Amino acid sequence: MIKVKKRRVLLLPGDGIGPEVIAEVKKVINWFNDKKSLDFEIDEDLVGGISFDKHGTPLTDEVFYKALESAVIMLGAVGGPKWDGVEFSKKPERALLKLRKELKLFANLRPAICFEQLVNASTLKPEIVSGLDILIVRELTGGVYFGEPRGIKPIENGERKGVNTHTYTSSEIIRVARVAFDLAKKRSNRVISCEKSNVMEAGQLWKEEVQSLHDKDYKEVELSHMLADNCAMQLVRNPKQFDVILTDNLFGDMLSDEASMLTGSLGLLPSASLGAKNKDGEMRAMYEPIHGSAPDIAGKGVANPIASILSFAMALRYSLDLDKEAEALEKAVQEALNDGLRTKDIMSDKMKEVSTSQMGDAIISKLQ
Ligand code: NAD
């Protein structure tokens, strides 16, 4: 069994804007090393399309083993049109799915917080999003993205059939529900669990298992159930009714992208993907912005690095037990926004437009 090295941070910038935003995270980590003597050991390697171009695979065994022994993996983003024609098993996104699956990162935490300074950046009315603070807990290693059988096969009449299978076991549901209930206890103590129990058996099992775990161990948390399509609608109608949303892999993917727009930009939302703690209290975890490689803006120096920097704040909190440092970093982001600094995606009247690296530098100067 490969042991996790406590202070090892593996940077996997990936493709498109990934290297641009992870460069800003690296500056932040170096700042903590220089000014707070936190002794993070930084390593950096290739993942995704750039790895495919160099090694013929989106994730080499060497990088996978580095990931296994790192307490924190900071991923930028993978993919882009350059690799559209690549065989499915070698596509950049497969690297991400392999890391999540093999490291057993089953709980994906996606906070959607609307910063007061950015209420006008949302496409929704300010009164709908002001004060918004939602945490989406998405199951990450099961469901339709991983279920078997899967594939595309020829059938009669010269037609082809695409198959994906949506499956969940009780234990897969219970372990992620436990994460959601535990986190809710530190927040407003409310969980809304989303599935499609009206039309899917796996959704019915999801609902039953979440309810019985609640009745057994988490009676003090307020639990309600909502159909995922209704949740999508409620998120734009009245998002502040939510505290913790617990949901599966597919619905979580969509609902969290929808929630991101409540906050103004995909470039603002961090995420954490956590595994289980072993008996020594060690946990594997990967942190990444929820956005993709944004090929339309890659290389222009305009990408918003805040989602990635806030992902590192989550790493400080969940993997490194450095809550105070996490808070300081989150506060530094707020202060840079208070100064009116905006990357292009969140730019508005009377604000000052800054580049990716200027935003990173401003956040670091607020840390000082
Ligand atoms: P995307 O998130 O890359 O971009 C969607 C839109 O948001 C684009 O207009 C982009 O410019 C903008 N955007 C995203 N991040 C931004 C940032 N930090 N600052 C400013 N603007 C930002 O989604 P897409 O265009 O659907 O996907 C592009 C590629 O990324 C695809 O190959 C997709 O498979 C991949 N992808 C990867 C991940 C990941 O690595 N975790 C996630 C989603 C998509």
Side-chain angles (χ1 to χ4, degrees):
M1 186 69 183
I2 294 176
K3 275 195 77 70
V4 178
K5 293 188 178 163
K6 260 188 156 174
R7 294 278 172 177
R8 170 71 62 86
V9 180
L10 176 62
L11 303 179
L12 297 177
D15 307 316
I17 60 169
E20 297 169 54
V21 292
I22 292 297
E24 301 312 306
V25 173
K26 193 171 174 180
K27 285 190 206 164
V28 170
I29 302 175
N30 283 331
W31 184 88
F32 277 111
N33 272 352
D34 294 346
K35 305 285 181 205
K36 300 280 168 191
S37 308
L38 286 182
D39 297 332
F40 295 123
E41 273 175 61
I42 306 180
D43 196 352
E44 188 166 342
D45 221 312
L46 305 182
V47 73
I50 190 168
S51 169
F52 175 80
D53 288 348
K54 184 149 185 226
H55 303 294
T57 170
L59 183 72
T60 62
D61 288 347
E62 193 192 341
V63 174
F64 179 66
Y65 285 109
K66 281 185 182 182
L68 276 177
E69 61 176 21
S70 300
V72 169
I73 304 165
M74 293 297 313
L75 191 122
V78 295
K82 183 177 176 197
W83 300 282
D84 277 353
V86 169
E87 169 205 333
F88 193 74
S89 67
K90 301 256 162 89
K91 280 197 180 295
E93 290 79 1
R94 300 308 298 170
L96 205 58
L97 295 181
K98 179 170 177 188
L99 282 168
R100 290 172 180 169
K101 184 73 177 174
E102 302 288 325
L103 300 182
K104 301 188 175 61
L105 308 177
F106 64 88
N108 185 220
L109 278 44
R110 297 185 160 201
I113 296 169
C114 184
F115 295 124
E116 227 29 61
Q117 304 88 331
L118 297 178
V119 284
N120 291 313
S122 171
T123 43
L124 271 75
K125 292 184 191 126
E127 62 270 25
I128 302 284
V129 293
S130 167
L132 183 81
D133 182 357
I134 299 175
L135 178 64
I136 298 184
V137 179
R138 166 190 173 196
E139 201 290 329
L140 203 60
T141 53
V144 75
Y145 291 173
F146 294 99
E148 297 284 348
R150 64 185 298 155
I152 301 175
K153 58 180 182 187
I155 53 168
E156 60 281 5
N157 311 333
E159 273 207 275
R160 295 189 303 155
K161 186 172 173 182
V163 178
N164 290 92
T165 306
H166 181 76
T167 67
Y168 271 108
T169 60
S170 300
S171 59
E172 284 175 322
I173 299 167
I174 290 167
R175 67 181 179 178
V176 71
R178 215 175 261 293
V179 172
F181 286 129
D182 285 336
L183 288 166
K185 287 205 280 189
K186 297 181 191 157
R187 299 169 48 97
S188 309
N189 220 21
R190 289 182 293 119
V191 172
I192 294 186
S193 171
C194 295
E195 28 56 24
K196 287 283 287 173
S197 55
N198 53 342
V199 286
M200 294 166 73
E201 285 79 359
Q204 191 183 329
L205 181 74
W206 182 281
K207 184 174 178 182
E208 288 170 7
E209 293 296 357
V210 172
Q211 186 66 50
S212 73
L213 176 68
H214 169 268
D215 298 349
K216 187 160 80 62
D217 290 343
Y218 294 97
K219 279 206 185 81
E220 69 281 22
V221 181
E222 193 186 310
L223 169 68
S224 46
H225 303 274
M226 190 180 271
L227 295 175
D229 48 348
N230 184 26
C231 180
M233 185 272 280
Q234 296 293 341
L235 266 176
V236 284
R237 192 184 75 87
N238 177 18
K240 282 188 267 183
Q241 69 185 287
F242 296 102
D243 180 27
V244 174
I245 297 177
L246 164 66
T247 190
D248 74 17
N249 205 343
L250 174 66
F251 297 139
D253 197 355
M254 294 177 185
L255 293 173
S256 58
D257 263 28
E258 186 186 356
S260 76
M261 276 324 288
L262 306 174
T263 70
S265 169
L266 269 178
L268 295 168
L269 288 202
S271 81
S273 304
L274 312 179
K277 282 201 169 124
N278 68 16
K279 59 180 180 354
D280 301 323
E282 293 171 338
M283 178 182 79
R284 296 206 162 83
M286 181 158 76
Y287 298 85
E288 52 183 314
I290 79 157
H291 60 73
S293 58
D296 52 335
I297 57 167
K300 296 184 179 157
V302 297
N304 191 338
I306 290 181
S308 296
I309 290 175
L310 290 177
S311 298
F312 185 65
M314 292 185 87
L316 290 167
R317 180 169 288 120
Y318 293 111
S319 284
L320 303 159
D321 291 326
L322 294 167
D323 284 33
K324 261 201 237 145
E325 286 74 5
E327 265 168 43
L329 185 52
E330 286 159 355
K331 198 159 160 255
V333 169
Q334 297 264 8
E335 285 176 6
L337 293 172
N338 282 341
D339 281 357
L341 303 182
R342 302 284 187 271
T343 42
K344 201 180 186 72
D345 54 313
I346 50 173
M347 183 59 192
S348 61
D349 250 10
K350 302 200 182 84
M351 299 295 142
K352 178 167 188 269
E353 190 171 324
V354 291
S355 67
T356 309
S357 66
Q358 285 169 329
M359 182 59 98
D361 291 342
I363 292 168
I364 288 169
S365 77
K366 295 295 176 187
L367 275 173
Q368 304 289 355

